[in-house]
Amino acid sequence: MPTEQPSRPALTNDVGSESGNDPARALQVRADLVTSIYSHIPRSSLGVLAGALTVTWGMWGQVNHVALLTWLGIIGCILIWRLFLYRAFPKPSPALERVAFWERHWTLSTAVHGTVWGSSAYFMYVPGSPEYQALLLVSLFAISTAAVPLIVRHLPSLYAFVLSVLVPIIVRLAFEGDAARVALAMVSSLVMYGIFLFGAELNRTIIESVRRRYENLDLIEQLKHQTAQAETARREADHANLMKTRFLAAASHDLRQPMHALGLFSDSLRRRINDPHKRALADRICQSAEAIEQTFDALLDISRLDAGIVQPRSDSFAIQPLLDRVLTDCAGEAEAKSIRLKMRPTRLAACSDAILVERILRNLVNNAIRYTDRGGVLVACRLQGPQVCVEIWDTGIGIPVEKQNRIFDEFYQAAERDRREGLGLGLAIVRRLTRLLNVDIVVRSSLGRGSVFKFGLPRSEGVPPAPIATGTRSARTPPAVADAIVLVIDDEAQVREAMAEALRSWGLRPITARSLQCALERLPECERYPDAIVSDFRLGEDHNGIDAVERIRHELGFPIPAMIVTGDTAPSSLRVIQASGLRCLPKPVTADRLLQELTNLLACEPTGSAKNMPSSRG
């Protein structure tokens, strides 16, 4: 068994030039090629044995039998040697530093093998017999070309074998002397040269194929590594986003609580001031609180749309009443800026979700007024094929072309404006709503000359139904709600105090509690069933406002009207509240809006809610 001797790898092939300037890759390719050569030894040995037996049989009648059998025995010994090398070859492949060692052994065995075949040109050559000479020549060329596909993987082996097999017969033919054999020797030399050219080209192709395969494997590994890195980065980003969401939700909730109390305290203070100058200051404070509520409402709209809890309904509706409401609500802001707010009356009807369409239109009109300092805003509708095209024109500052794709992003404003005019959420809400309704919105603008926003709605040919409920605020003058008992549940002391103060200023009777258990303990103080329950969503003690409402209703055996007033805007919480069927107001909520909602809630109070509290409950 041959012993592997440490040797410095030497490029005995042209692998290095074909494999770039990376010596390690060149050795890797050589190792692959030499492994391929050794793996084919058993099958190639069978072919060599078959060829040797055929030549021996063909020459049996013309050549000395002892010489033939000796030659055949030597061939057999060489095949045994090769099988011994095959068994000794390390599986699956040799170490890179042993590649040259195995290349030398293969080259040596190939040269010896070729020399044995080449010796037949001397003792198998039959003078004066062109037939046997042709048989010998064909046999030698056959064994040479048959070996090319295997030994071409190592060019030195190819050269050693082909030269050892063919040069002796070419020399023998050339020294015969006659013109025919000299010509045959020259042709044979050209064929041998052709074998070398073909072998070199095939060798380059094989090496390139192997090198590309390794490169592809490297690329696959790199891709796997990059994919793993990307997956790790995605998980880290998801975790960071989750942490950010939790932080923002907690921060939002904690910020909404005092802002909600501030708004209610401001309204209570305003109601107690009679001095006109002080009352004007209190009015400004209440207006600021209302602006904060509008900002938080916009954030809540974003949360609701992202949470997927807003589901559109498609109905036919007249567009004109919708335009009337929007322009009436926006007229005050336009008048304050001394700009004209106009609309073109229309008899058209559309088929979509009227409430969401009104919200889109309201945001677009508000945005147009906000960015228009002179001139006016025009709202118009016109038919465009099967659609009703709603257009909002303004003579405002315009939007640069490079910014028109960004104006629908959250918190982005195309121009530097006073942040008290908004946070840049109106158009972000518009984009979400139009996508929800499967509506395309188009903007065209000229810097310094104004803008136009357009969106199309499916036209309705039917008679529009009765005026729709839009969810906008109704008249602020409440009905008589004096002496109504309202149970307020909130875990924040400031909020409870502010709610109680506001309710008392409206002539209602508040009963406050910080938790569900506290509310149950204070029920006897009501003396009769509460007229309404106003609860926060987060109450602690593993309870929420929905649990509190359901428990109190169960304890009293009566469906007390209730609503949730919360600063929790997490999508999961919003979905839970929506599923409960309870009315939900986001904190901070202005005093006027809270009073209006309470008025509506008390107006829906079931008959018999004024029953006295059963004594057993005390």
Side-chain angles (χ1 to χ4, degrees), residues 25 29 207-219:
R25 173 51 51 80
V29 172
I207 290 175
E208 181 67 15
S209 175
V210 174
R211 185 179 66 83
R212 290 292 176 86
R213 179 168 63 85
Y214 278 113
E215 288 180 351
N216 290 338
L217 291 176
D218 288 344
L219 290 175

Side-chain angles (χ1 to χ4, degrees), residues 529-533 549-550 552-562 582 601 604-609 611:
Y529 287 168
D531 296 282
I533 302 172
V549 171
E550 292 176 350
I552 293 171
R553 285 174 172 177
H554 175 74
E555 289 290 326
L556 299 180
F558 193 77
I560 306 296
L582 295 178
L601 190 67
C604 298
E605 182 180 353
T607 304
S609 63
K611 291 165 51 179

Side-chain angles (χ1 to χ4, degrees), residues 76-337:
C77 291
I78 293 173
L79 295 181
I80 294 173
W81 177 23
R82 284 193 170 181
L83 290 175
F84 177 75
L85 291 175
Y86 169 77
R87 294 289 302 272
F89 188 79
K91 307 297 188 298
S93 62
L96 295 183
E97 62 270 15
R98 295 291 187 267
V99 171
F101 171 83
W102 291 103
E103 285 177 338
R104 285 197 301 271
H105 273 279
W106 172 254
T107 304
L108 179 60
S109 70
T110 302
V112 172
H113 184 207
T115 301
V116 173
W117 277 95
S119 66
S120 63
Y122 299 100
F123 72 91
M124 292 188 191
Y125 189 86
V126 182
S129 177
E131 295 86 357
Y132 284 97
Q133 295 173 8
L135 173 63
L136 179 61
L137 184 63
V138 169
S139 298
L140 294 177
F141 270 101
I143 197 68
S144 299
T145 55
V148 169
L150 175 62
I151 60 178
V152 76
R153 291 169 172 82
H154 186 240
L155 281 183
S157 300
L158 175 68
Y159 297 147
F161 183 77
V162 173
L163 288 173
S164 300
V165 172
L166 296 182
V167 167
I169 190 65
I170 292 174
V171 171
R172 181 68 182 267
L173 290 172
F175 279 92
E176 282 292 313
D178 60 275
R181 287 174 174 75
V182 171
L184 187 59
M186 295 177 61
V187 171
S188 299
S189 299
L190 291 176
V191 172
M192 182 177 65
Y193 178 70
I195 292 175
F196 290 154
L197 291 179
F198 172 74
E201 184 64 27
L202 184 58
N203 176 266
R204 283 193 292 270
T205 302
I206 294 175
I207 290 175
E208 181 67 15
S209 175
V210 174
R211 185 179 66 83
R212 290 292 176 86
R213 179 168 63 85
Y214 278 113
E215 288 180 351
N216 290 338
L217 291 176
D218 288 344
L219 290 175
I220 292 173
E221 287 300 319
Q222 292 177 10
L223 181 60
K224 288 180 179 179
H225 180 66
Q226 292 173 357
T227 302
Q229 287 183 324
E231 180 64 21
T232 301
R234 185 193 64 79
R235 287 196 297 266
E236 292 175 353
D238 288 345
H239 179 71
N241 189 55
L242 178 62
M243 293 299 101
K244 180 196 72 173
T245 301
R246 290 177 178 175
F247 169 77
L248 291 177
S252 174
H253 178 268
D254 294 343
L255 181 61
R256 288 171 182 269
Q257 295 287 85
M259 294 308 303
H260 177 60
L262 174 63
L264 297 180
F265 279 133
S266 300
D267 183 75
S268 299
L269 177 63
R270 179 181 62 175
R271 292 175 181 271
R272 295 183 179 184
I273 296 176
N274 295 321
D275 181 85
H277 296 289
K278 295 180 181 179
R279 182 65 177 265
L281 180 60
D283 287 342
R284 295 291 298 274
I285 295 174
C286 290
Q287 290 172 4
S288 297
E290 185 172 357
I292 292 174
E293 180 200 6
Q294 293 173 354
T295 299
F296 276 110
D297 282 348
L299 290 170
L300 182 61
D301 283 338
I302 293 287
S303 297
R304 284 173 174 165
L305 292 170
D306 288 343
I309 63 176
V310 178
Q311 298 299 326
R313 298 176 56 187
S314 183
D315 295 304
S316 295
F317 63 93
I319 297 178
Q320 186 60 46
L322 184 149
L323 299 180
D324 291 337
R325 283 190 297 273
V326 171
L327 267 68
T328 298
D329 290 344
C330 297
E333 185 179 354
E335 184 179 353
K337 298 188 68 173

Side-chain angles (χ1 to χ4, degrees), residues 93 130 319 443 471 535 563 586 598 610:
S93 62
I319 297 178
V443 57
S535 177
M563 68 177 177
L598 269 175

Side-chain angles (χ1 to χ4, degrees), residues 424-503:
L425 292 175
L427 293 182
I429 294 173
V430 166
R431 180 173 63 177
R432 282 168 166 79
L433 290 174
T434 52
R435 286 177 177 174
L436 190 64
L437 296 176
N438 196 24
V439 168
D440 293 327
I441 184 165
V442 178
V443 57
R444 294 204 311 268
S445 184
S446 178
L447 196 61
R449 300 183 61 181
S451 307
V452 55
F453 289 79
K454 301 180 181 181
F455 63 93
L457 301 171
R459 181 185 181 185
S460 176
E461 298 289 352
V463 179
I468 56 174
T470 63
T472 57
R473 298 178 188 176
S474 55
R476 293 190 175 187
T477 303
V481 292
D483 296 328
I485 298 176
V486 179
L487 177 60
V488 178
I489 311 174
D490 200 296
D491 59 351
E492 290 284 342
Q494 284 186 335
V495 174
R496 293 197 302 273
E497 186 178 350
M499 290 283 287
E501 186 65 33
L503 291 173

